[in-house]
Amino acid sequence: MTETKMDSFMRLADKLERDRDLSDDELASVLLCDDPHFSDDLSAKARTVRESIYGRDVYLRGLIEFTNYCRNNCYYCGIRAGNKNVERYRLNAEEIIACSDQGYDLGFRTFVLQGGEDPYFTEERIVSIVSTLKKRHPDCAVTLSVGEWERESYRKFYEAGADRYLLRHETADKDHYGTLHPANMSFDHRMQCLRDLRATGYQVGCGMMVGSPGQKVEHLVRDLRFLQEFRPEMVGIGPFIPHHDTIYADHQPGSVRMTLRLLSVIRLLLPEVLLPATTALGTLDPLGREKGITAGANVVMPNLSPVNVRGKYLLYDNKICTGDEAAECIRCMSSRVARTGYQVVQSRGDHIRYKRDHE
Ligand code: SAH
């Protein structure tokens, strides 16, 4: 890249840092600029912002993948209903509670219950699991990631004690959403769910896959605009990774470097947001999660699921951490984080809300 071209990119990074915003075209050029010097500059700015708010702390969320049954057929996902080659499993309430007890002893203060949309887990069963978890560990945050429900169900889960909810929007472009999902899944309903979750009182996490089939940079710009408007407490992003039993088996995976740039841009657009360095990032690059933290992420989600089911929650191929015991996962994660100069902390790691200029 010529020096003048590089200068103009550096000026964009300065502008993003100063204004916490850029035009659509500017955002697109930032995302597409694959020059390592530029990415380093963006990361350094993102780190400064994140350290000014969260210091050097990295929050832990203990992920319990409690069912891989799913009624949906998202075209990119390995555990979609139509995949007959999946060995299905579900943990019962006692097993879920046992995972959380073990996690608690290891220092976790947030549990994320994630699963497919499994009809066995009715509203009543989820309510009962959440309230048991909260009674046993009242000092912990419980996060649900169990897909699309109606507002009334979200309210019941919340009243049972769920504090947070993760529901990635996947893509903020309705047509693009339509190409990634079958016709019985609705972009409008997913967006409605996010609004309902917010209105119910949850701390909400949304997010998108990076490099999903058919994604253009304009879609990512739309995702960023949606994030700015919705202002979620958390944004989970990770590269798309093909799964061999889907129609996208031969599609190329999302770019790690693009994901890292996006993490930095999101940190600069939404300084106080919680940003996980995801397993998908660690799957595509052995140092992906460390690079994510260096690029502005401040959350990691080690797996607490029992080892005998780990290898069955496979949304994509080659997923890492499918063989280790929870204790080993946390040891590994702590030392990975420590090597970046940051430290994992044993707190709930709540989202910090700053008074915004217009409030
Ligand atoms: N059923 C829940 C949980 C979904 S799994 C829900 O609907 O919210 C969590 C996330 O994994 C998904 O939201 C999706 O963004 C991601 N994911 C699914 N398949 C993937 C793939 N092939 N590559 C990368 N990420 C994937």
Side-chain angles (χ1 to χ4, degrees), residues 70-85:
C70 192
R71 65 185 164 109
N72 287 330
N73 234 323
C74 309
Y75 295 144
Y76 45 82
C77 183
I79 65 166
R80 70 202 166 79
N83 185 2
K84 300 296 172 228
N85 298 326

Side-chain angles (χ1 to χ4, degrees), residues 12 15 21-29 221 225:
L12 279 186
K15 187 173 171 204
D21 206 2
L22 287 177
S23 72
D24 287 2
D25 287 348
E26 288 169 338
L27 281 173
S29 15
V221 171
R225 294 297 178 218

Side-chain angles (χ1 to χ4, degrees), residues 72-112:
N72 287 330
N73 234 323
C74 309
Y75 295 144
Y76 45 82
C77 183
I79 65 166
R80 70 202 166 79
N83 185 2
K84 300 296 172 228
N85 298 326
V86 182
E87 196 187 323
R88 304 284 170 174
Y89 76 92
R90 57 172 70 95
L91 303 182
N92 61 32
E94 291 70 40
E95 291 169 314
I96 297 172
I97 302 300
C99 286
S100 76
D101 288 351
Q102 198 193 5
Y104 192 89
D105 292 340
L106 291 168
F108 287 88
R109 293 298 175 265
T110 300
F111 302 109
V112 182

Side-chain angles (χ1 to χ4, degrees), residues 70 76-78 114-117 145-148 166-168 170 190 208-209 238-243 280 313 315-316:
C70 192
Y76 45 82
C77 183
Q114 185 175 87
E117 295 192 16
S145 178
V146 290
E148 298 180 33
L166 304 182
L167 184 75
R168 289 192 179 174
E170 313 296 0
R190 200 150 182 102
M208 62 279 188
M209 283 177 290
F240 159 77
I241 306 176
H243 184 285
Y313 195 81
L315 312 178
Y316 46 78

Side-chain angles (χ1 to χ4, degrees), residues 213-231:
Q215 185 180 65
K216 307 215 164 25
V217 72
E218 295 77 38
H219 296 143
L220 287 170
V221 171
R222 263 195 112 132
D223 287 319
L224 294 175
R225 294 297 178 218
F226 168 68
L227 297 177
Q228 282 180 307
E229 180 202 309
F230 186 68
R231 290 201 160 252

Side-chain angles (χ1 to χ4, degrees), residues 62-69 77 79 89-91 96 111-118 121 126 129 133 142-147 164-168 170 190 205 234 236 276 278-279 301 303-305 309 313-316 319:
L63 187 61
I64 304 175
E65 296 160 338
F66 68 97
T67 175
N68 71 354
Y69 283 87
C77 183
I79 65 166
Y89 76 92
R90 57 172 70 95
L91 303 182
I96 297 172
F111 302 109
V112 182
L113 299 187
Q114 185 175 87
E117 295 192 16
D118 177 355
F121 286 101
I126 293 180
I129 290 165
L133 260 178
V142 171
T143 304
L144 288 175
S145 178
V146 290
R164 305 173 181 156
Y165 205 102
L166 304 182
L167 184 75
R168 289 192 179 174
E170 313 296 0
R190 200 150 182 102
M234 181 187 262
T278 54
T279 307
M301 301 173 114
N303 202 315
L304 291 180
S305 316
V309 302
Y313 195 81
L314 298 180
L315 312 178
Y316 46 78
K319 187 180 174 202

Side-chain angles (χ1 to χ4, degrees), residues 126-144:
I126 293 180
V127 163
S128 148
I129 290 165
V130 170
S131 51
T132 312
L133 260 178
K134 284 300 270 200
K135 270 193 217 102
R136 271 178 99 84
H137 304 297
D139 54 333
C140 291
V142 171
T143 304
L144 288 175

